[in-house]
Protein backbone atom coordinates (compact mmCIF):
# COMPACT_ATOMS: atom_id res chain seq x y z
CA UNK A 1 0.00 0.00 0.00
CA UNK A 2 2.78 2.44 0.96
CA UNK A 3 4.60 1.55 -2.24
CA UNK A 4 1.51 2.45 -4.31
CA UNK A 5 1.12 5.79 -2.51
CA UNK A 6 4.80 6.53 -3.17
CA UNK A 7 4.33 5.83 -6.90
CA UNK A 8 1.29 8.11 -7.07
CA UNK A 9 3.22 10.94 -5.40
CA UNK A 10 6.14 10.51 -7.79
CA UNK A 11 3.80 10.60 -10.80
CA UNK A 12 2.19 13.81 -9.51
CA UNK A 13 5.61 15.41 -9.13
CA UNK A 14 6.84 14.47 -12.60
CA UNK A 15 3.64 14.92 -14.67
CA UNK A 16 3.21 18.45 -16.11
CA UNK A 17 0.12 20.24 -14.84
CA UNK A 18 -1.67 22.55 -17.30
CA UNK A 19 -1.60 26.18 -16.22
CA UNK A 20 -4.91 27.43 -14.89
CA UNK A 21 -6.22 30.34 -16.96
CA UNK A 22 -7.37 33.41 -15.05
CA UNK A 23 -10.97 34.16 -15.97
CA UNK A 24 -13.53 36.79 -15.15
CA UNK A 25 -17.18 37.58 -15.78
CA UNK A 26 -19.92 35.63 -17.50
CA UNK A 27 -22.08 35.47 -20.64
CA UNK A 28 -25.63 36.79 -20.30
CA UNK A 29 -28.33 35.94 -22.85
CA UNK A 30 -31.36 38.20 -23.40
CA UNK A 31 -32.33 36.99 -26.88
CA UNK A 32 -31.97 33.56 -28.48
CA UNK A 33 -29.78 35.03 -31.24
CA UNK A 34 -27.01 35.43 -28.66
CA UNK A 35 -26.50 31.64 -28.75
CA UNK A 36 -25.27 31.88 -32.35
CA UNK A 37 -22.68 34.48 -31.30
CA UNK A 38 -21.03 32.98 -28.23
CA UNK A 39 -21.44 29.89 -26.05
CA UNK A 40 -23.14 30.71 -22.76
CA UNK A 41 -20.41 28.86 -20.86
CA UNK A 42 -17.54 30.49 -22.81
CA UNK A 43 -14.69 31.64 -20.58
CA UNK A 44 -13.55 35.25 -20.54
CA UNK A 45 -9.78 34.91 -20.30
CA UNK A 46 -7.60 37.53 -18.58
CA UNK A 47 -4.52 38.33 -20.69
CA UNK A 48 -3.22 41.12 -18.47
CA UNK A 49 -4.56 43.10 -15.53
CA UNK A 50 -1.82 45.68 -14.94
CA UNK A 51 -2.88 48.51 -17.25
CA UNK A 52 -4.00 51.91 -16.01
CA UNK A 53 -6.79 52.29 -18.58
CA UNK A 54 -6.77 49.89 -21.54
CA UNK A 55 -8.31 51.20 -24.76
CA UNK A 56 -8.53 50.96 -28.54
CA UNK A 57 -7.63 47.30 -29.26
CA UNK A 58 -6.87 46.17 -32.81
CA UNK A 59 -5.80 42.76 -34.09
CA UNK A 60 -2.83 42.68 -36.50
CA UNK A 61 -3.31 39.58 -38.63
CA UNK A 62 0.10 39.67 -40.33
CA UNK A 63 1.95 39.74 -37.01
CA UNK A 64 -0.52 37.59 -35.04
CA UNK A 65 -0.66 40.16 -32.27
CA UNK A 66 -2.99 42.54 -30.50
CA UNK A 67 -2.14 46.22 -30.22
CA UNK A 68 -3.95 48.37 -27.67
CA UNK A 69 -3.63 51.80 -26.12
CA UNK A 70 -3.18 52.93 -22.57
CA UNK A 71 -3.79 56.69 -22.93
CA UNK A 72 -2.87 57.30 -19.29
CA UNK A 73 0.59 55.77 -19.86
CA UNK A 74 1.00 57.41 -23.30
CA UNK A 75 1.84 53.96 -24.64
CA UNK A 76 0.66 51.42 -27.20
CA UNK A 77 1.17 47.89 -25.92
CA UNK A 78 1.51 44.63 -27.85
CA UNK A 79 0.21 41.23 -26.79
CA UNK A 80 1.12 37.86 -28.33
CA UNK A 81 0.34 34.37 -27.11
CA UNK A 82 4.07 33.60 -26.96
CA UNK A 83 5.41 36.74 -25.29
CA UNK A 84 2.48 38.20 -23.40
CA UNK A 85 2.30 41.98 -23.03
CA UNK A 86 5.18 44.27 -24.00
CA UNK A 87 5.49 47.99 -24.74
CA UNK A 88 5.21 48.63 -28.48
CA UNK A 89 5.27 52.43 -28.91
CA UNK A 90 5.96 55.22 -26.43
CA UNK A 91 5.04 58.04 -26.69
CA UNK A 92 1.88 57.00 -28.47
CA UNK A 93 -0.16 60.20 -28.52
CA UNK A 94 1.73 63.09 -26.93
CA UNK A 95 5.25 64.08 -27.93
CA UNK A 96 5.43 67.35 -26.00
CA UNK A 97 7.56 68.10 -22.96
CA UNK A 98 6.19 67.78 -19.45
CA UNK A 99 2.71 66.75 -18.36
CA UNK A 100 -0.30 67.46 -20.54
CA UNK A 101 -3.43 65.71 -19.28
CA UNK A 102 -4.60 62.58 -17.49
CA UNK A 103 -4.96 60.77 -20.83
CA UNK A 104 -2.35 62.18 -23.25
CA UNK A 105 -1.72 59.00 -25.24
CA UNK A 106 -3.42 57.33 -28.18
CA UNK A 107 -6.95 55.99 -27.91
CA UNK A 108 -8.68 54.31 -30.85
CA UNK A 109 -6.48 52.27 -33.19
CA UNK A 110 -7.10 50.91 -36.67
CA UNK A 111 -5.26 48.81 -39.22
CA UNK A 112 -6.15 50.56 -42.46
CA UNK A 113 -6.60 49.16 -45.96
CA UNK A 114 -2.86 49.55 -46.58
CA UNK A 115 -1.96 47.55 -43.48
CA UNK A 116 -0.66 50.60 -41.60
CA UNK A 117 -1.48 51.56 -38.03
CA UNK A 118 -3.81 54.56 -37.73
CA UNK A 119 -4.12 56.14 -34.29
CA UNK A 120 -6.33 58.73 -32.61
CA UNK A 121 -3.86 60.79 -30.58
CA UNK A 122 -5.16 62.75 -27.60
CA UNK A 123 -2.16 64.90 -26.71
CA UNK A 124 -0.98 65.75 -30.23
CA UNK A 125 -4.65 66.13 -31.21
CA UNK A 126 -4.39 64.39 -34.54
CA UNK A 127 -5.01 61.29 -36.61
CA UNK A 128 -1.65 59.65 -37.42
CA UNK A 129 -0.52 56.83 -39.67
CA UNK A 130 2.51 54.59 -39.20
CA UNK A 131 3.93 51.76 -41.27
CA UNK A 132 4.31 48.74 -38.99
CA UNK A 133 7.50 47.60 -40.73
CA UNK A 134 9.35 50.84 -41.35
CA UNK A 135 7.90 52.99 -38.56
CA UNK A 136 7.76 56.78 -38.76
CA UNK A 137 4.45 58.56 -38.13
CA UNK A 138 2.78 60.96 -40.53
CA UNK A 139 -0.15 63.24 -39.73
CA UNK A 140 -3.33 62.49 -41.65
CA UNK A 141 -5.39 65.26 -40.04
CA UNK A 142 -5.06 67.61 -37.07
CA UNK A 143 -7.59 70.38 -37.68
CA UNK A 144 -10.81 71.45 -39.35
CA UNK A 145 -11.63 74.98 -40.48
CA UNK A 146 -8.17 76.03 -39.24
CA UNK A 147 -9.07 74.93 -35.70
CA UNK A 148 -7.25 72.12 -33.93
CA UNK A 149 -9.23 69.09 -32.89
CA UNK A 150 -10.05 68.55 -29.21
CA UNK A 151 -8.76 64.98 -28.81
CA UNK A 152 -9.63 62.47 -31.55
CA UNK A 153 -11.04 59.39 -29.86
CA UNK A 154 -12.12 56.62 -32.22
CA UNK A 155 -12.02 55.90 -35.96
CA UNK A 156 -13.28 53.57 -38.68
CA UNK A 157 -12.60 53.27 -42.40
CA UNK A 158 -14.96 52.74 -45.33
CA UNK A 159 -13.95 50.31 -48.05
CA UNK A 160 -13.47 53.29 -50.39
CA UNK A 161 -10.70 54.56 -48.10
CA UNK A 162 -12.67 57.29 -46.32
CA UNK A 163 -12.14 57.63 -42.56
CA UNK A 164 -14.79 58.65 -40.03
CA UNK A 165 -13.71 59.73 -36.54
CA UNK A 166 -15.00 61.34 -33.35
CA UNK A 167 -13.56 64.28 -31.42
CA UNK A 168 -14.80 64.57 -27.81
CA UNK A 169 -12.88 66.54 -25.13
CA UNK A 170 -11.64 63.61 -23.02
CA UNK A 171 -7.94 64.06 -23.78
CA UNK A 172 -7.81 67.80 -23.02
CA UNK A 173 -6.21 68.86 -19.71
CA UNK A 174 -9.52 70.23 -18.37
CA UNK A 175 -11.77 68.34 -20.75
CA UNK A 176 -14.82 70.41 -21.79
CA UNK A 177 -13.88 73.17 -19.33
CA UNK A 178 -10.50 73.70 -21.00
CA UNK A 179 -10.39 77.31 -22.23
CA UNK A 180 -6.63 77.36 -22.76
CA UNK A 181 -6.36 74.61 -25.36
CA UNK A 182 -9.80 74.23 -26.94
CA UNK A 183 -10.20 75.86 -30.33
CA UNK A 184 -13.70 74.60 -31.14
CA UNK A 185 -16.72 74.29 -28.83
CA UNK A 186 -18.11 71.48 -30.95
CA UNK A 187 -17.60 67.81 -30.14
CA UNK A 188 -17.80 66.81 -33.75
CA UNK A 189 -17.79 63.77 -35.97
CA UNK A 190 -15.55 64.16 -39.01
CA UNK A 191 -14.88 62.59 -42.36
CA UNK A 192 -11.35 62.43 -43.76
CA UNK A 193 -11.69 61.99 -47.50
CA UNK A 194 -9.23 60.20 -49.76
CA UNK A 195 -8.24 63.65 -51.05
CA UNK A 196 -7.01 64.41 -47.47
CA UNK A 197 -9.73 67.01 -46.90
CA UNK A 198 -11.59 67.05 -43.58
CA UNK A 199 -15.34 67.64 -43.31
CA UNK A 200 -17.41 68.05 -40.17
CA UNK A 201 -20.43 65.82 -40.75
CA UNK A 202 -22.13 65.80 -37.31
CA UNK A 203 -22.09 68.72 -34.89
CA UNK A 204 -25.03 68.16 -32.53
CA UNK A 205 -23.86 65.33 -30.28
CA UNK A 206 -22.79 66.07 -26.72
CA UNK A 207 -20.11 63.36 -26.44
CA UNK A 208 -19.48 61.34 -29.61
CA UNK A 209 -17.17 58.46 -28.80
CA UNK A 210 -17.14 55.04 -30.48
CA UNK A 211 -17.74 54.87 -34.23
CA UNK A 212 -18.28 52.01 -36.68
CA UNK A 213 -19.83 51.15 -40.02
CA UNK A 214 -22.61 48.60 -40.47
CA UNK A 215 -21.67 45.33 -42.16
CA UNK A 216 -22.99 46.56 -45.51
CA UNK A 217 -21.52 50.05 -44.91
CA UNK A 218 -24.90 51.68 -45.48
CA UNK A 219 -25.04 53.02 -41.92
CA UNK A 220 -22.62 54.95 -39.74
CA UNK A 221 -22.98 54.17 -36.04
CA UNK A 222 -21.87 56.70 -33.43
CA UNK A 223 -21.89 55.95 -29.70
CA UNK A 224 -22.59 58.85 -27.38
CA UNK A 225 -20.92 58.45 -23.98
CA UNK A 226 -23.12 61.01 -22.26
CA UNK A 227 -25.03 60.02 -19.13
CA UNK A 228 -28.11 62.08 -20.03
CA UNK A 229 -28.31 60.71 -23.59
CA UNK A 230 -26.51 57.34 -23.71
CA UNK A 231 -27.35 56.34 -27.26
CA UNK A 232 -26.02 54.55 -30.27
CA UNK A 233 -27.02 56.71 -33.22
CA UNK A 234 -27.46 55.39 -36.77
CA UNK A 235 -26.87 57.62 -39.79
CA UNK A 236 -27.75 56.39 -43.31
CA UNK A 237 -24.89 56.66 -45.80
CA UNK A 238 -25.25 57.07 -49.52
CA UNK A 239 -21.99 56.89 -51.49
CA UNK A 240 -20.15 57.86 -48.31
CA UNK A 241 -22.33 60.90 -47.56
CA UNK A 242 -24.80 61.21 -44.70
CA UNK A 243 -28.11 61.07 -46.52
CA UNK A 244 -30.35 62.22 -43.67
CA UNK A 245 -30.42 62.98 -39.96
CA UNK A 246 -29.56 60.15 -37.64
CA UNK A 247 -31.89 58.24 -35.36
CA UNK A 248 -31.49 56.47 -32.04
CA UNK A 249 -30.81 52.78 -32.64
CA UNK A 250 -30.29 51.82 -28.99
CA UNK A 251 -30.96 53.67 -25.74
CA UNK A 252 -28.84 52.38 -22.85
CA UNK A 253 -30.82 54.30 -20.26
CA UNK A 254 -33.96 52.39 -21.23
CA UNK A 255 -32.26 49.00 -21.43
CA UNK A 256 -30.08 49.34 -18.32
CA UNK A 257 -32.06 51.70 -16.06
CA UNK A 258 -30.48 50.50 -12.82
CA UNK A 259 -26.89 51.38 -13.67
CA UNK A 260 -24.72 53.99 -15.34
CA UNK A 261 -24.44 52.54 -18.82
CA UNK A 262 -23.23 54.87 -21.53
CA UNK A 263 -21.41 53.43 -24.54
CA UNK A 264 -17.72 53.78 -25.34
CA UNK A 265 -16.12 51.92 -28.27
CA UNK A 266 -18.20 49.90 -30.73
CA UNK A 267 -17.50 47.21 -33.33
CA UNK A 268 -19.72 45.34 -35.82
CA UNK A 269 -19.48 41.66 -36.77
CA UNK A 270 -20.07 40.14 -40.20
CA UNK A 271 -23.74 39.47 -39.38
CA UNK A 272 -24.31 43.13 -38.50
CA UNK A 273 -24.43 42.73 -34.71
CA UNK A 274 -23.03 45.63 -32.69
CA UNK A 275 -20.61 45.06 -29.81
CA UNK A 276 -20.50 48.06 -27.48
CA UNK A 277 -18.33 48.71 -24.45
CA UNK A 278 -20.94 49.69 -21.84
CA UNK A 279 -22.76 48.54 -18.70
CA UNK A 280 -19.63 46.90 -17.21
CA UNK A 281 -19.09 44.67 -20.22
CA UNK A 282 -19.62 44.27 -23.94
CA UNK A 283 -23.30 44.75 -24.78
CA UNK A 284 -24.33 42.86 -27.93
CA UNK A 285 -27.08 44.46 -30.01
CA UNK A 286 -28.74 43.18 -33.17
CA UNK A 287 -28.76 45.25 -36.35
CA UNK A 288 -32.46 45.80 -35.59
CA UNK A 289 -31.58 47.48 -32.29
CA UNK A 290 -32.66 44.56 -30.09
CA UNK A 291 -30.58 43.73 -27.01
CA UNK A 292 -29.15 40.24 -27.55
CA UNK A 293 -26.85 39.75 -24.58
CA UNK A 294 -23.90 40.94 -22.60
CA UNK A 295 -20.35 39.72 -22.10
CA UNK A 296 -20.32 40.81 -18.49
CA UNK A 297 -16.93 41.81 -17.07
CA UNK A 298 -17.97 43.58 -13.88
CA UNK A 299 -15.96 46.76 -14.46
CA UNK A 300 -15.98 49.73 -16.82
CA UNK A 301 -15.40 48.44 -20.32
CA UNK A 302 -13.91 50.56 -23.08
CA UNK A 303 -13.73 48.75 -26.39
CA UNK A 304 -13.23 45.48 -28.27
CA UNK A 305 -11.72 44.03 -31.45
CA UNK A 306 -12.28 40.93 -33.54
CA UNK A 307 -9.47 38.63 -34.62
CA UNK A 308 -9.31 36.32 -37.61
CA UNK A 309 -9.07 33.26 -35.36
CA UNK A 310 -12.45 33.83 -33.74
CA UNK A 311 -11.59 35.70 -30.57
CA UNK A 312 -13.10 38.93 -29.34
CA UNK A 313 -10.45 40.96 -27.51
CA UNK A 314 -11.74 43.34 -24.85
CA UNK A 315 -10.22 46.30 -23.02
CA UNK A 316 -11.86 46.99 -19.67
CA UNK A 317 -10.38 49.27 -17.04
CA UNK A 318 -6.98 47.70 -16.15
CA UNK A 319 -7.78 44.46 -18.02
CA UNK A 320 -7.18 43.08 -21.48
CA UNK A 321 -9.35 40.01 -22.05
CA UNK A 322 -10.51 37.66 -24.76
CA UNK A 323 -13.43 35.33 -25.35
CA UNK A 324 -13.98 32.83 -28.16
CA UNK A 325 -16.90 33.68 -30.44
CA UNK A 326 -18.98 31.55 -32.78
CA UNK A 327 -19.67 34.52 -35.07
CA UNK A 328 -17.13 36.26 -37.32
CA UNK A 329 -15.87 39.80 -36.98
Amino acid sequence: MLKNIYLIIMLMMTTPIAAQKDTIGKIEVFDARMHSIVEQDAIIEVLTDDMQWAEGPVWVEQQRCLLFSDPKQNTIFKWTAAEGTTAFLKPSGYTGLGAYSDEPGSNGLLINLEGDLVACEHGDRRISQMNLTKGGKVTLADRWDNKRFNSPNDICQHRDGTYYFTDPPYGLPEREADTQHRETPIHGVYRLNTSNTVEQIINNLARPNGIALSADEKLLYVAQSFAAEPYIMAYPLQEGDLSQSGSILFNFKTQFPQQEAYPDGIKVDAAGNIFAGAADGIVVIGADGVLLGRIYIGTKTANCAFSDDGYLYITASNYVLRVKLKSLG
Side-chain angles (χ1 to χ4, degrees):
M1 181 70 179
L2 290 175
K3 183 178 180 180
N4 290 337
I5 293 174
Y6 175 77
L7 287 173
I8 292 170
I9 293 172
M10 290 301 294
L11 285 170
M12 291 175 63
M13 292 176 64
T14 57
T15 302
I17 298 174
Q20 180 70 37
K21 292 181 179 179
D22 291 332
T23 64
I24 192 173
K26 60 183 178 180
I27 307 299
E28 297 177 330
V29 176
F30 305 129
D31 184 282
R33 284 176 285 175
M34 188 69 173
H35 292 299
S36 66
I37 296 171
V38 61
E39 298 285 359
Q40 191 161 6
D41 61 354
I43 64 168
I44 304 167
E45 182 184 353
V46 177
L47 304 180
T48 183
D49 63 357
D50 59 358
M51 296 295 108
Q52 291 187 29
W53 176 246
E55 260 285 8
V58 65
W59 179 254
V60 186
E61 183 177 350
Q62 293 79 4
Q63 299 185 15
R64 314 302 302 164
C65 72
L66 183 78
L67 298 179
F68 62 94
S69 300
D70 189 325
K72 290 183 177 292
Q73 297 192 62
N74 196 13
T75 303
I76 292 174
F77 288 92
K78 176 181 179 180
W79 178 89
T80 66
E83 298 180 2
T85 304
T86 57
F88 175 77
L89 183 67
K90 183 180 179 67
S92 68
Y94 179 59
T95 54
L97 300 175
Y100 176 72
S101 73
D102 289 340
E103 296 187 9
S106 61
N107 196 306
L109 303 177
L110 169 73
I111 301 299
N112 69 7
L113 298 175
E114 301 168 7
D116 292 342
L117 177 67
V118 175
C120 296
E121 300 189 6
H122 278 182
D124 287 345
R125 300 163 71 176
R126 65 174 179 168
I127 304 296
S128 69
Q129 179 175 334
M130 187 183 78
N131 185 283
L132 286 172
T133 302
K134 300 177 182 177
K137 289 184 185 180
V138 296
T139 299
L140 296 181
D142 63 1
R143 63 193 68 224
W144 171 77
D145 194 27
N146 292 321
K147 298 180 179 67
R148 295 189 69 191
F149 298 132
N150 293 309
S151 53
N153 185 278
D154 208 355
I155 190 167
C156 64
Q157 188 178 28
H158 194 278
R159 64 169 62 95
D160 68 6
T162 301
Y163 295 102
Y164 299 91
F165 64 94
T166 58
D167 186 42
Y170 299 127
L172 291 170
E174 301 297 329
R175 296 198 170 195
E176 64 273 9
D178 196 320
T179 58
Q180 178 181 353
H181 299 90
R182 289 192 72 180
E183 297 184 17
T184 173
I186 296 169
H187 304 140
V189 178
Y190 296 88
R191 175 173 54 207
L192 174 60
N193 297 310
T194 54
S195 60
N196 291 326
T197 58
V198 178
E199 298 178 52
Q200 187 181 86
I201 57 173
I202 302 170
N203 60 12
N204 61 351
L205 295 180
R207 296 291 185 277
N209 195 320
I211 191 165
L213 289 157
S214 62
D216 60 8
E217 299 195 338
K218 293 181 179 180
L219 292 170
L220 180 69
Y221 297 127
V222 180
Q224 176 158 251
S225 55
F226 183 47
E229 299 172 349
Y231 308 147
I232 291 180
M233 301 291 296
Y235 298 87
L237 287 174
Q238 188 170 359
E239 296 182 357
D241 293 325
L242 296 185
S243 60
Q244 63 188 59
S245 298
S247 59
I248 298 171
L249 178 73
F250 191 86
N251 185 336
F252 286 84
K253 182 178 289 187
T254 301
Q255 297 290 345
F256 297 94
Q258 303 302 319
Q259 68 178 112
E260 189 178 71
Y262 44 85
D264 197 326
I266 53 177
K267 296 294 188 297
V268 178
D269 72 7
N273 302 305
I274 302 163
F275 292 64
D280 291 344
I282 297 294
V283 176
V284 185
I285 305 157
D288 55 1
V290 173
L291 175 63
L292 305 184
R294 176 169 56 170
I295 302 169
Y296 181 73
I297 310 300
T299 189
K300 288 187 179 297
T301 303
N303 211 332
C304 61
F306 300 104
S307 69
D308 63 314
D309 56 358
Y311 281 101
L312 180 74
Y313 288 86
I314 302 167
T315 51
S317 187
N318 57 304
Y319 293 101
V320 178
L321 314 150
R322 70 175 182 177
V323 60
K324 192 76 169 182
L325 298 183
K326 298 168 73 175
S327 62
L328 297 176

